[in-house]
Amino acid sequence: MENWSVDQVCNWLRQRNLGELVPKFREEEVSGAALLALNDRMVQQLVKKIGHQAVLMDLINKYQQRKSGLESLTYCCETASPKFPELINGKNLKSFFARYKTLQWTSSYALPDFPYDVKCILEEKKCPDHSMRIRIIEYLQADMTKYLKGSLYPNSQQYNIVVSALLQAYPFLDDNGNGFLLWKRALRDRFKYVRRPIEDDEQVLKNKCKFGHRRGQTRKSLFAGNKPDEFQVQEEPIEGSAMDIHIKWLKQEYMKTQRNWKEVDARMNVTIEIRRRMISNKAPLKDILKLFPFLRCPYQLFREFQLLTHTDIYQKTVEILEIYSENILSLYAMKNNPINIMLQENLERHTEEDILKYMKMTAACLLLPDVFGDDSSLFAAVNKEVKVVTPVLEVKNPFNVNSCEFALYVEGEELAQLSNCTMALAALVAAFHVFDIPYPKRIHRTLNFLESLVFEV
């Protein structure tokens, strides 16, 4: 390639479906040697489309790294166990190389060379404003596309790798422990934004068709008329499809008193993609619950949270309340709080250690918003009617062991009955994440605190 003429470079571009770039490359007299010398900034000046930029840079890098890649692969093969040839025969050969490429991507990823003004902000450890954050995300998205060989569909692990690299290099971007999720969400949204107008990429078109997108339709129109049964997840109509069979089975099983929970878990796993697509597209909650009623069950709500975050929200909540309950109750500002006064009155009536511990954990849970100066009405309605639409707890007789009741409300309607304060708090945090609901401003300090403990950040 180093000795190629301009004509040979142009022929090479045509062979790789990059014929649109030929006139510009001729104008700039890009020979083989010049092609291999291109850096990211030069490519951005030569090529307008991000997808073409990513493909071109990947082809150049692939050529330059071919020798080192082959040497690494040879070493990997030579140092494998004696059973290695058996492991990579036949069908396993393809999966072996796929895994090898994934590992190579992971181990070789490095942050892009940001523009000068972005570098200045980052080196001065200044918190970037909104426009600067957008620029950082844009460069990360373009860089990821390059590593993904032009694909616009990173997986969750790859998002995690890039965001972790960013926060490791610039810890001050972590936003008091909440930065990882914020940056990851912004990066995913950027990929969605880039994919939306594309109509000439085979992979994008295939996925748009697969997940129900139709040219000329907006996201809102996909759910117009409240007809969730028409939501498409395959190229064929959903009616009569395998997905429709799973959804129908889940609806029928939910009506039974004795449920096959193992099968429920399996079918909820299979249908998670359509469920997440509906939620991200802001489908009405009643439509989502109509198709997937098991999200009303605390067990499935926690399980959905674990599928998304790999975190056991219930166990984390138990640990949080056990660690912090005594500290919260000992705060001077909490001693004259009505919740604490109610607790002290009820503590005198019981001597059992388990009941006393349960009552203190309940009080600590309900006092959390007051600790952070937040609006407690957006957290729990204690012996009151629920009046907010965001996820909130309804609590009745919190310190009466025989008649206490906990329920989770979303959009003003009861979603689930809960057996105790620990389960109630876990369900509240899980609901915001599972249904992709932003934290209300007047309660965000409390929820951010809980989130930081749950994710150990």
Side-chain angles (χ1 to χ4, degrees):
M1 184 179 284
E2 292 89 342
N3 299 322
W4 283 2
S5 65
V6 175
D7 289 336
Q8 287 175 310
V9 170
C10 293
N11 290 334
W12 177 78
L13 291 172
R14 292 191 188 96
Q15 291 171 4
R16 282 152 182 78
N17 298 321
L18 297 174
E20 295 180 24
L21 310 183
V22 168
K24 188 66 175 177
F25 272 61
R26 284 192 184 280
E27 180 184 344
E28 299 293 337
E29 297 182 355
V30 179
S31 63
L35 179 66
L36 294 176
L38 293 176
N39 58 30
D40 288 354
R41 185 177 295 276
M42 294 176 184
V43 170
Q44 289 169 12
Q45 292 174 348
L46 277 171
V47 184
K48 291 183 179 180
K49 293 184 178 179
I50 292 177
H52 288 168
Q53 292 175 12
V55 172
L56 183 61
M57 285 304 301
D58 179 69
L59 290 171
I60 296 171
N61 290 335
K62 186 187 293 183
Y63 180 84
Q64 293 172 334
Q65 297 173 1
R66 184 176 298 170
K67 288 184 179 180
S68 60
L70 288 173
E71 290 171 0
S72 299
L73 182 57
T74 302
Y75 175 80
C76 179
C77 294
E78 290 174 351
T79 57
S81 68
K83 296 183 180 180
F84 177 78
E86 300 175 10
L87 294 174
I88 63 172
N89 280 338
K91 294 181 179 179
N92 289 336
L93 184 61
K94 185 176 180 180
S95 61
F96 167 77
F97 280 106
R99 287 195 299 272
Y100 171 76
K101 288 179 180 178
T102 300
L103 291 172
Q104 192 179 40
W105 192 97
T106 303
S107 60
S108 65
Y109 182 77
L111 289 173
D113 188 18
F114 291 113
Y116 178 75
D117 56 335
V118 176
K119 282 183 180 179
C120 291
I121 293 293
L122 295 177
E123 289 175 1
E124 293 174 7
K125 297 184 179 180
K126 293 182 179 179
C127 187
D129 58 17
H130 181 67
S131 61
M132 190 62 70
R133 283 174 175 264
I134 291 175
R135 293 195 66 197
I136 294 172
I137 288 295
E138 286 175 349
Y139 271 83
L140 289 176
Q141 180 268 319
D143 193 57
M144 285 183 70
T145 306
K146 176 188 71 176
Y147 273 89
L148 293 168
K149 301 180 181 178
S151 172
L152 295 172
Y153 291 92
N155 58 38
S156 182
Q157 181 188 7
Q158 289 161 342
Y159 281 119
N160 292 343
I161 291 167
V162 173
V163 175
S164 296
L166 178 69
L167 298 185
Q168 187 174 0
Y170 307 105
F172 62 92
L173 296 177
D174 199 16
D175 289 343
N176 297 322
N178 300 311
F180 183 87
L181 294 175
L182 295 175
W183 285 100
K184 182 177 178 180
R185 179 176 294 180
L187 192 53
R188 294 181 67 173
D189 288 344
R190 176 63 190 174
F191 270 96
K192 290 179 183 178
Y193 176 80
V194 171
R195 290 194 300 260
R196 194 176 303 162
I198 293 177
E199 296 182 356
D200 58 354
D201 183 278
E202 182 179 350
Q203 185 185 15
V204 173
L205 291 175
K206 183 178 179 180
N207 278 274
K208 283 183 176 181
C209 182
K210 180 179 179 181
F211 296 111
H213 178 88
R214 294 294 180 269
R215 185 176 295 181
Q217 284 184 318
T218 62
R219 291 183 174 188
K220 187 175 181 179
S221 67
L222 284 172
F223 301 97
N226 294 330
K227 296 181 180 179
D229 291 336
E230 295 177 3
F231 189 83
Q232 304 275 334
V233 294
Q234 297 180 352
E235 294 183 13
E236 59 184 354
I238 194 168
E239 185 177 356
S241 69
M243 193 65 68
D244 186 56
I245 293 171
H246 288 306
I247 292 173
K248 184 177 180 181
W249 186 92
L250 288 168
K251 289 180 181 179
Q252 293 174 345
E253 191 71 9
Y254 184 75
M255 303 304 294
K256 298 179 181 179
T257 53
Q258 298 293 328
R259 296 162 179 166
N260 184 348
W261 287 106
K262 185 176 181 180
E263 186 65 18
V264 169
D265 290 349
R267 292 180 186 261
M268 288 293 281
N269 281 353
V270 172
T271 56
I272 189 170
E273 187 66 35
I274 182 175
R275 193 159 58 250
R276 301 317 307 169
R277 180 69 58 175
M278 292 181 70
I279 290 171
S280 66
N281 287 342
K282 305 302 179 185
L285 180 63
K286 62 179 181 180
D287 291 350
I288 297 168
L289 295 176
K290 182 179 178 181
L291 292 179
F292 305 102
F294 277 99
L295 289 178
R296 294 180 178 274
C297 301
Y299 163 76
Q300 280 299 330
L301 191 65
F302 298 158
R303 192 171 179 277
E304 189 90 352
F305 183 91
Q306 190 162 12
L307 289 173
L308 297 173
T309 65
H310 307 291
T311 303
D312 185 341
I313 181 66
Y314 180 76
Q315 184 58 40
K316 289 290 184 182
T317 306
V318 172
E319 295 171 4
I320 291 169
L321 289 180
E322 287 181 345
I323 293 172
Y324 288 93
S325 58
E326 291 291 347
N327 292 337
I328 291 172
L329 296 176
S330 65
L331 291 173
Y332 177 78
M334 299 299 106
K335 291 183 178 179
N336 295 325
N337 189 287
I339 295 294
N340 206 345
I341 293 172
M342 195 187 310
L343 168 68
Q344 299 305 323
E345 293 174 353
N346 284 273
L347 287 177
E348 298 173 359
R349 303 173 188 173
H350 300 277
T351 57
E352 299 88 340
E353 185 176 346
D354 289 344
I355 294 178
L356 296 177
K357 179 181 178 181
Y358 166 79
M359 294 171 69
K360 288 180 179 179
M361 289 175 66
T362 301
C365 171
L366 298 177
L367 287 170
L368 272 173
D370 297 285
V371 172
F372 292 95
D374 282 340
D375 187 347
S376 59
S377 67
L378 297 177
F379 186 82
V382 182
N383 295 329
K384 296 178 182 178
E385 181 183 355
V386 171
K387 295 182 179 180
V388 298
V389 296
T390 53
V392 67
L393 299 175
E394 182 191 58
V395 185
K396 295 181 180 178
N397 308 315
F399 304 112
N400 188 320
V401 179
N402 298 318
S403 63
C404 61
E405 296 179 11
F406 297 87
L408 174 66
Y409 276 69
V410 182
E411 294 187 357
E413 296 185 5
E414 183 180 304
L415 183 75
Q417 289 281 345
L418 307 153
S419 58
N420 54 55
C421 69
T422 307
M423 184 176 287
L425 184 57
L428 179 66
V429 176
F432 279 101
H433 283 268
V434 169
F435 298 114
D436 196 20
I437 299 172
Y439 292 159
K441 187 175 181 180
R442 289 181 292 150
I443 196 69
H444 79 278
R445 284 185 290 266
T446 302
L447 297 174
N448 283 336
F449 168 74
L450 292 170
E451 183 181 272
S452 67
L453 295 179
V454 168
F455 294 114
E456 298 181 353
V457 294

